[in-house]
Amino acid sequence: MESESVKTRALKELQTVVVRFAGDSGDGMQTVGERFTESAAIFGNDLATFPDFPAEIRAPRGTVPGVSAFQIQFGSTEILTPGDAPDALVAMNPAALKVHLPDLVDGGMLVVNKAAFTKGSLRMAGYPANPLQDPQISENYEVVEIDLNFLVLEALKDFSLNQKNKLRCKNFFALGFMYWIYSRPLETTIEFIRSKWERPYPELAKANIKVLKAGYYFGETTETARNRYMVTKAEVEAGVYRKVSGNEALVLGLIAGAAKANRDLVYSGYPITPASSILETLAAHKHFGVKTIQAEDEMAAIGIALGASYAGNLGATGTSGPGMCLKGEFIGLATSTELPLIIFNIQRAGPSTGLPTKTEQSDLTQALFGRHSDAPIPVIAANSPCDCFETSIEAVRIALTYSTPVIVLSDLYIASGAEPWKVPDPARIPTIEVPFAQEGEPFQVYRRNPETLARTQAIPGQQGLEHRIGGLEKDPFSNVSYDPANHEHMTRMRSEKIERIADSIPPTKVNGEPYGELLIIGWGGTFGAITAACSSLQAEGFSVSSLHLRHLNPLPGDLGEIMENFDKILVPELNQGQLSLLLRSKFLLDIVSYNKIQGQPFKVRELLRKIQEVLRR
Amino acid sequence: MAPPTLTQEILNKKDFVTPNDVRWCPGCGDYAILNALQRTFPELGIPKENFVVISGIGCSSRFPYYMNTYGFHTIHGRAPTVATGVKLANPDLSVWLVTGDGDGLGIGGNHLLHALRRNINLNILLFNNRTYGLTKGQYSPTSPVGTKTKTTPMGSIDNPLNPILFALGADATFIARTIDTNPKHMIEIFKAAHRHQGISYIEIFQNCVIFNNKTWDSVYGRQSRDDHMLFLEAGKPMVYGKTERRGVAWTGGGMPELLPMNGATPEEKGILIHDPTRTDSIYAAMLAEMQYPDFPVPVGVLRQVVKPAYDTQIQQQLHAAIARNGGKGDLRQLLYGRNTWRV
């Protein structure tokens, strides 16, 4: 994003800044990134983050595959993405420099740990010579070389920690320095260090605080950097805010949705990146009555959730693409028995193990069609970390109201990214009223609600409503039936029920004019980049609008009409054109597909370039 | 489960029969098992609506359709997962899982293993007929080496799984074996399984009249049953045999000796007294290793040990977390979390 700077003597005011911390995966880059985020959020900036880490927990030290990075964009204006390119890069070792320097903006600030540029680590990173001695680097960037090792050991010379543990504090020195550069307060981070380490490791807590401050004072006393910046608070709606990641927001929405539906929640999962943190976070929410279980495999995870739904709780499970394949058979059973169930798919780049810590949106067709037989189920997608909250609640609403499994698509970029979130008023979250069958009244398993076509559930323990369900095709009374006409009837009923969900979807919001030259249609985690690109072109007078789909099956009923009001349609996706495929086949329209399959989100400038190219056609 | 109260209606077998036609082959061993379970349920003192019968796929898995209770016919091998979910949602339910040697030990081996390991309070009936009946007679994970079927025309070459040793490997807390030809014994074992808190695992020797007829006849057939089965009773000496009375003597290592009684008392001969409550698995493993034709095949409760049940512990953790929070968290507490700021 363009950042406008107002020159003062020593302090420049910026609207938005992008900072990237990069280092070895053992250097604590995610930790300092998180702290920087928290401090910016509490200061009152709007922000978005992008953690980018390797699949290996500890790849060989100092190597290129072991580099872990965290990027944050923060500002005084609305922030929609973590930013295309960093204005400042902190590189803790040569490998981090090698991976991330190409992204740094011209004239950007480069902070490096000079002490890490030894012969050995240069060789590990594949540098024939020390790049810091390349005059081009100092010409192109504002280079700040700091001997972090020396300064940290000096700062901690009175501490009893051994040298290795002292040096582990150096990420906080770098963080302290960046706080000085961007005139950030230290309190939030000091509090974090205290709450995390004071009790178990008092000496370590003290050391980290000392080093954090030392980094800050180092900036102040040496004025190493030529420039210092400040970013004022963002103008945001009044209210109470907190920071949430996508997976956290999914969890909050799921618990809130279940509570509003008056159902106990059972979540069952099997560890898989990037969905594991859903199970972990829910397991820490037992005091809200949440039952969690780490299942033996992906099939068990969904089976347990389905069993819980069958017995009257709300069952939910989560995974990523490969796990979805394993769950497919059970989704068929849930479809056939028409039981509520929520399935999160936090997508990552594939197929197979693919790039398990990189993002992609390539499981859309799997969610829509990846099952045996005619088994349509609703598919919805979250578009940002905050949006995950409402997406979860919507999933609960659909699952219970229409007695159906629901797939919720998120992706790694949304799941691990974080944003400030305006905490909603719990009283204003709508209740979801779906009663069970009544004891004493006649019960028929597949009697359908005339409006939604949903069946009413009777649950074990209810007197007089004993019945059998299962994967064999049933007649409306749940008797096993091989009658050909009945099978067609039941198949059509199951499809029609899902189609009717469209009647309950609010009108689609269009960003910009409801007619014009070009409509950009997106879904999922590309929301921020598409909206930023579209809005900036609108400001320049281009006839461009965008819309972002929450509901992918069924599609909103007004979508066809909206599309007809534009000359051209562009669908950018982080896959080979899966939504394009769907829209082309449903609406028989010519659609321009724009695809990126690199495990990385769209940059705003990539979209700007593509949109302008399409407009010129 | 509470005993029946005066207001509760007295149930009988008829209450558990569905109007559906039973579609197993005439002469199938499943009929006897169905009959035994329908006779067991009314005697357990549980309201009818609290029974749930869950199955996977296979001949045995049609079971829920014939029990007039809540029932769920799920997918191949995965019934233990659904049953686990049911118990998590409502631990008060009496959940009965019906599976077979293909469903439970083939495609569903992993789920069965983990249900056993978790010690969740379920009753598992594993019908072992050593064949895949519903798919027309392929060999199964318990078929002996050399079994000739359409998929193994030259005889099967993989070693059969011992269902009891399998359960022992998972440290199952209740392991029993019964036979489809002895309704009285089946009912006795089903009742014991119901009383056990935690996982109850019952292997039932069952006859497939079409694809593997008489597979167990060498063990439980009229001619052989007295000499080739050992009925286990807790606290009783292990004596068997009609043609010749024999007793089981075991030193604690290796396989036991089978001693002719020759009119002596078990004490005199040092015959082993059955103790299913032994917590080590060596004793139960020894019993599991007693196989036809070298040994009489033990039937009855092989192992019954006390361990906390998974579903009980889930509830305990839930209550502890709620107590530590000073009551169940509300939505305000949930949404606000720990770190907020005001704009």
Side-chain angles (χ1 to χ4, degrees):
Chain A
M1 300 197 88
E2 295 300 307
S3 41
E4 210 175 274
S5 60
V6 181
K7 278 213 165 150
T8 61
R9 203 160 55 86
L11 204 63
K12 290 184 181 179
E13 186 172 330
L14 302 176
Q15 276 190 1
T16 67
V17 174
V18 179
V19 177
R20 186 183 293 176
F21 294 93
D24 203 68
S25 50
D27 278 343
M29 293 297 95
Q30 302 303 321
T31 306
V32 293
E34 288 273 331
R35 305 286 67 78
F36 197 97
T37 304
E38 198 170 67
S39 132
I42 289 180
F43 178 77
N45 297 127
D46 195 11
L47 61 88
T49 69
F50 181 48
D52 189 8
F53 44 84
E56 295 77 14
I57 301 301
R58 295 275 190 278
R61 252 194 107 70
T63 60
V64 167
V67 173
S68 169
F70 187 100
Q71 181 163 313
I72 170 173
Q73 173 160 227
F74 62 105
S76 57
T77 56
E78 190 184 12
I79 301 295
L80 290 163
T81 74
D84 283 6
D87 301 306
L89 171 66
V90 177
M92 300 293 279
N93 66 6
L97 186 74
K98 178 125 193 181
V99 176
H100 294 288
L101 187 64
D103 292 343
L104 185 60
V105 298
D106 282 346
M109 178 182 288
L110 173 64
V111 180
V112 290
N113 176 15
K114 196 162 66 178
F117 283 68
T118 60
K119 242 188 203 160
S121 56
L122 287 168
R123 198 181 50 238
M124 292 252 251
Y127 276 122
N130 189 343
L132 300 177
Q133 283 156 7
D134 179 350
Q136 258 201 318
I137 286 199
S138 46
E139 271 166 39
N140 287 353
Y141 310 105
E142 184 188 347
V143 182
V144 182
E145 293 183 30
I146 306 177
D147 188 338
L148 283 182
N149 295 28
F150 171 75
L151 290 168
V152 166
L153 291 176
E154 271 299 297
L156 297 179
K157 63 172 182 265
D158 297 333
F159 282 67
S160 63
L161 298 169
N162 62 30
Q163 176 158 327
K164 193 177 155 207
N165 280 332
K166 283 180 181 173
L167 285 176
R168 286 178 68 185
C169 301
K170 64 178 185 285
N171 56 339
F172 278 99
F173 192 102
L175 180 66
F177 181 72
M178 295 312 282
Y179 279 165
W180 180 77
I181 294 284
Y182 291 105
S183 328
R184 310 262 97 192
L186 302 181
E187 285 73 27
T188 322
T189 303
I190 292 173
E191 237 166 77
F192 167 84
I193 294 172
R194 284 213 176 107
S195 72
K196 182 153 172 116
W197 288 302
E198 195 151 74
R199 193 157 315 158
Y201 311 108
E203 181 86 349
L204 187 68
K206 255 190 244 165
N208 274 325
I209 293 170
K210 176 93 197 256
V211 166
L212 176 76
K213 288 182 176 169
Y216 190 91
Y217 297 142
F218 175 76
E220 198 170 78
T221 51
T222 61
E223 298 211 355
T224 323
R226 283 164 291 179
N227 293 310
R228 207 180 158 213
Y229 308 91
M230 70 172 285
V231 178
T232 55
K233 291 181 186 191
E235 293 268 337
V236 292
E237 230 180 297
V240 174
Y241 282 77
R242 68 181 281 191
K243 180 185 72 95
V244 286
S245 72
N247 276 359
E248 271 168 4
L250 276 184
V251 164
L252 296 176
L254 184 63
I255 301 175
K260 286 289 178 178
N262 204 17
R263 299 268 170 113
D264 284 346
L265 178 64
V266 170
Y267 183 89
S268 126
Y270 183 74
I272 183 170
T273 303
S276 307
S277 64
I278 301 175
L279 175 59
E280 291 163 359
T281 309
L282 278 160
H285 280 80
K286 289 193 168 64
H287 52 299
F288 294 93
V290 178
K291 288 170 265 189
T292 58
I293 178 167
Q294 181 180 317
E296 61 269 24
D297 59 33
E298 294 283 1
M299 289 92 83
I302 186 171
I304 291 168
L306 186 65
S309 275
Y310 164 68
N313 282 191
L314 176 64
T317 184
T319 186
S320 194
M324 286 300 284
C325 286
L326 293 167
K327 292 184 191 302
E329 187 191 20
F330 252 123
I331 300 176
L333 179 67
T335 304
S336 165
T337 53
E338 302 190 38
L339 286 168
L341 179 67
I342 291 169
I343 307 138
F344 297 116
N345 176 0
I346 317 301
Q347 301 161 95
R348 62 188 208 189
S352 192
T353 310
L355 312 174
T357 60
K358 306 293 167 195
T359 200
E360 205 160 271
Q361 321 180 265
S362 45
D363 296 343
L364 175 60
T365 45
Q366 179 198 41
L368 294 168
F369 310 118
R371 281 171 295 287
H372 52 289
S373 310
D374 283 322
I377 65 168
V379 178
I380 62 175
N383 66 40
S384 72
C386 291
D387 185 57
C388 285
F389 179 74
E390 301 214 339
T391 309
S392 258
I393 293 180
E394 175 67 351
V396 176
R397 180 189 76 85
I398 294 175
L400 291 172
T401 312
Y402 293 88
S403 58
T404 178
V406 176
I407 291 178
V408 177
L409 294 174
S410 175
D411 61 46
L412 188 141
Y413 170 73
I414 299 174
S416 50
E419 286 176 336
W421 179 54
K422 184 167 180 266
V423 180
D425 177 359
R428 299 189 65 170
I429 302 170
T431 52
I432 301 165
E433 273 176 68
V434 182
F436 294 116
Q438 291 295 305
E439 287 179 11
E441 284 180 14
F443 171 69
Q444 187 186 315
V445 178
Y446 289 101
R447 178 157 52 207
R448 295 177 186 279
N449 176 314
E451 195 191 321
T452 61
L453 298 183
R455 77 176 184 94
T456 302
Q457 219 188 318
I459 56 170
Q462 285 190 301
Q463 201 179 8
L465 305 181
E466 293 87 355
H467 64 280
R468 271 66 56 195
I469 58 170
L472 285 168
E473 184 66 284
K474 303 293 191 301
D475 69 13
F477 297 90
S478 202
N479 295 311
V480 175
S481 167
Y482 285 89
D483 175 20
N486 176 70
H487 177 54
E488 177 151 349
H489 169 74
M490 291 299 271
T491 302
R492 290 192 186 282
M493 276 290 132
R494 289 188 286 261
S495 294
E496 170 73 14
K497 179 178 80 169
I498 303 307
E499 287 303 317
R500 287 204 188 179
I501 296 169
D503 298 344
S504 69
I505 300 174
T508 307
K509 273 191 238 157
V510 177
N511 165 31
E513 296 293 335
Y515 48 85
E517 206 175 325
L518 176 69
L519 176 67
I520 308 163
I521 302 180
W523 68 279
T526 54
F527 171 76
I530 291 176
T531 309
C534 183
S535 300
S536 98
L537 288 172
Q538 284 166 356
E540 289 178 42
F542 288 97
S543 175
V544 182
S545 299
S546 66
L547 71 80
H548 218 74
L549 293 169
R550 143 103 67 245
H551 297 88
L552 294 149
N553 191 44
L555 289 164
D558 57 1
L559 184 61
E561 225 171 284
I562 295 171
M563 287 164 71
E564 278 174 17
N565 291 331
F566 291 85
D567 303 336
K568 294 171 184 167
I569 291 163
L570 172 69
V571 178
E573 289 178 273
L574 300 175
N575 61 41
Q576 289 199 84
Q578 301 188 0
L579 178 62
S580 303
L581 177 78
L582 181 71
L583 295 179
R584 282 176 188 142
S585 70
K586 284 236 169 194
F587 298 100
L588 304 177
L589 284 172
D590 186 21
I591 282 166
V592 182
S593 194
Y594 177 43
N595 312 108
K596 178 176 178 182
I597 316 122
Q598 300 171 10
Q600 297 289 333
F602 279 119
K603 289 182 169 34
V604 175
R605 64 163 185 263
E606 292 167 341
L607 288 168
L608 285 172
R609 209 179 301 133
K610 183 69 190 182
I611 297 166
Q612 283 169 317
E613 184 231 300
V614 174
L615 282 170
R616 278 195 301 269
R617 279 184 195 176
Chain B
M1 208 63 62
T5 59
L6 283 179
T7 52
Q8 207 171 310
E9 61 178 318
I10 306 294
L11 299 168
N12 59 45
K13 188 198 154 191
K14 279 211 304 275
D15 293 303
F16 293 95
V17 177
T18 60
N20 302 27
D21 291 335
V22 182
R23 296 188 188 178
W24 288 313
C25 309
C28 175
D30 290 358
Y31 284 96
I33 306 173
L34 175 67
N35 193 11
L37 201 65
Q38 285 169 337
R39 282 168 59 194
T40 305
F41 276 13
E43 295 188 35
L44 300 181
I46 296 174
K48 186 175 147 185
E49 63 270 18
N50 281 357
F51 286 104
V52 186
V53 182
I54 299 176
S55 66
I57 295 291
C59 288
S60 61
S61 289
R62 297 297 172 99
F63 217 85
Y65 294 121
Y66 309 134
M67 292 293 293
N68 194 357
T69 61
Y70 283 95
F72 200 165
H73 176 216
T74 72
I75 47 180
H76 208 4
R78 322 268 177 250
T81 71
V82 175
T84 299
V86 168
K87 283 300 275 193
L88 289 189
N90 186 353
D92 293 337
L93 298 170
S94 178
V95 180
W96 296 74
L97 194 151
V98 180
T99 183
D101 43 313
D103 186 63
L105 299 171
I107 193 166
N110 195 36
H111 305 306
L112 186 58
L113 178 83
H114 290 276
L116 295 167
R117 173 180 72 83
R118 283 194 189 102
N119 197 33
I120 192 154
N121 200 3
L122 300 171
N123 307 292
I124 299 177
L125 315 185
L126 185 133
F127 299 11
N128 185 4
N129 58 16
R130 307 202 276 199
T131 189
Y132 278 82
L134 198 61
T135 49
K136 302 197 165 92
Q138 299 81 4
Y139 81 116
S140 95
T142 54
S143 301
V145 170
T147 301
K148 283 192 179 174
T149 70
K150 280 188 215 160
T151 58
T152 50
M154 297 172 73
S156 62
I157 50 178
D158 34 352
N159 294 314
L161 186 68
N162 180 324
I164 304 288
L165 282 177
F166 174 83
L168 265 179
D171 206 9
T173 54
F174 179 101
I175 303 173
R177 181 186 278 144
T178 187
I179 53 177
D180 63 358
T181 51
N182 190 334
K184 201 169 144 251
H185 191 257
M186 277 194 282
I187 291 171
E188 195 183 300
I189 297 295
F190 295 163
K191 284 183 182 170
H194 163 70
R195 284 193 299 272
H196 178 70
Q197 293 298 306
I199 197 83
S200 304
Y201 174 78
I202 306 167
E203 180 192 10
I204 307 174
F205 287 175
Q206 180 254 341
N207 189 42
C208 173
V209 69
I210 303 295
F211 295 107
N212 205 13
N213 198 18
K214 301 187 175 10
T215 182
W216 298 112
D217 266 21
S218 48
V219 177
Y220 69 36
R222 220 172 268 278
Q223 304 303 318
S224 44
R225 63 188 176 199
D226 294 319
D227 290 324
H228 291 289
M229 277 197 297
L230 172 66
F231 280 86
L232 300 171
E233 276 184 85
K236 297 276 172 64
M238 295 187 189
V239 181
Y240 71 100
K242 193 174 180 185
T243 41
E244 187 191 14
R245 292 296 282 171
R246 286 173 179 233
V248 177
W250 187 54
T251 56
M255 290 308 288
E257 271 186 279
L258 307 175
L259 305 178
M261 296 302 290
N262 297 330
T265 66
E267 290 81 22
E268 286 162 0
K269 284 277 180 183
I271 297 305
L272 192 57
I273 308 289
H274 180 48
D275 180 11
T277 65
R278 280 183 60 155
T279 49
D280 65 275
S281 56
I282 295 166
Y283 173 73
M286 178 273 289
L287 294 176
E289 292 272 20
M290 291 176 66
Q291 293 179 59
Y292 179 86
D294 300 333
F295 293 93
V297 176
V299 294
V301 178
L302 281 77
R303 184 176 204 239
Q304 184 171 14
V305 296
V306 178
K307 278 192 181 178
Y310 187 89
D311 38 326
T312 316
Q313 291 186 92
I314 285 254
Q315 298 299 325
Q316 282 167 353
Q317 287 197 346
L318 212 58
H319 293 146
I322 289 169
R324 208 180 309 149
N325 190 53
K328 192 169 164 184
D330 62 10
L331 282 187
R332 214 187 135 77
Q333 184 193 354
L334 172 78
L335 302 183
Y336 278 65
R338 287 204 194 105
N339 283 320
T340 56
W341 65 93
R342 188 170 281 282
V343 175

